[in-house]
């Protein structure tokens, strides 16, 4: 089995300032991918930039995936700066950790679904034209086992990831 060649590819990784997203960004960069990782804050973007500093062409950017126009603008900017986009990793997410279903207010429910599910839709919609220009690409959506089994205190999170699994 031959190893996948990543040299020269460009990836956008949402939620790359910590945890799984940071690990994915680091591993892709180690394999020669130009990684642009996102965080919701400027300080998070700086953290990504510093973590990827050893890898040429990699960067951190601030992005709120609930902002469709900003998502489209970032994809366009990446394509212009790097000549395309080859990989999208939808990792950004939040949870309602510790709250039972009857304790979740409408605003929390809406926010979790807007980031975890609708944010993935927005990012994918923005990235698809660029991915297709290059003859195709990869979209990786990060989900959780909580989408498959009931876990107390994760109602909105599990529902959003279940929707993501279906997407």
């Amino acid at each position: 089995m031959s190893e996948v060649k990543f040299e020269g590819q460009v990836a956008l990784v949402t939620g790359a300032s910590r945890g799984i997203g940071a690990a994915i960004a680091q591993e892709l960069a180690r394999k020669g991918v130009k990684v642009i990782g996102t965080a919701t804050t400027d300080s998070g973007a700086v953290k990504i930039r510093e973590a990827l500093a050893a890898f040429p062409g990699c960067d951190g950017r601030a992005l709120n995936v609930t902002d469709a126009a900003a998502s489209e603008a970032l994809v366009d900017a990446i394509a212009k700066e790097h000549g395309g986009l080859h990989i999208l990793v939808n990792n950004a997410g939040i949870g309602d950790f510790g709250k039972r279903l009857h304790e979740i207010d409408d605003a929390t429910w809406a926010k979790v679904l807007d980031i975890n599910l609708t944010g993935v839709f927005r990012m994918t919609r923005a990235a698809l034209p660029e991915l297709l220009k290059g003859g195709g690409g990869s979209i990786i959506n990060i989900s959780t086992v909580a989408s498959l089994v009931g876990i107390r205190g994760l109602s909105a999170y599990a529902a959003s990831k279940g929707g993501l699994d279906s997407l």
Side-chain angles (χ1 to χ4, degrees):
M1 188 167 161
S2 64
E3 186 174 331
V4 176
K5 303 291 185 208
F6 289 101
E7 253 342 284
Q9 293 193 22
V10 178
L12 172 56
V13 180
T14 66
S17 63
R18 58 189 164 93
I20 293 169
I24 291 169
Q26 284 285 323
E27 186 59 25
L28 287 172
R30 272 193 281 283
K31 294 195 179 290
V33 176
K34 291 179 184 177
V35 176
I36 292 75
T38 72
T40 55
T41 64
D42 289 333
S43 61
V46 169
K47 181 178 175 182
I48 296 165
R49 193 171 298 124
E50 290 170 351
L52 298 176
F55 305 103
C58 294
D59 197 8
R61 305 277 177 92
L63 176 69
N64 182 338
V65 297
T66 67
D67 184 337
S71 299
E72 292 170 10
L74 179 58
V75 169
D76 290 344
I78 290 168
K80 284 183 181 116
E81 292 167 23
H82 298 281
L85 179 65
H86 306 95
I87 303 167
L88 170 64
V89 180
N90 287 307
N91 176 68
I94 63 166
D96 55 327
F97 305 113
K99 291 187 177 184
R100 294 180 183 181
L101 182 64
H102 65 280
E103 298 169 332
I104 301 170
D105 58 62
D106 288 352
T108 299
W109 179 269
K111 183 176 181 180
V112 171
L113 267 69
D114 197 27
I115 292 170
N116 296 3
L117 181 56
T118 308
V120 170
F121 162 72
R122 287 183 191 106
M123 290 306 305
T124 302
R125 180 180 62 192
L128 261 174
E130 265 317 307
L131 294 171
L132 293 173
K133 276 183 193 174
S138 298
I139 300 172
I140 302 161
N141 296 326
I142 304 301
S143 188
T144 176
V145 70
S147 70
L148 304 172
V149 297
I151 300 175
R152 179 184 286 178
L154 295 177
S155 300
Y157 180 74
S160 69
K161 294 299 186 168
L164 177 60
D165 292 348
S166 294
L167 180 66

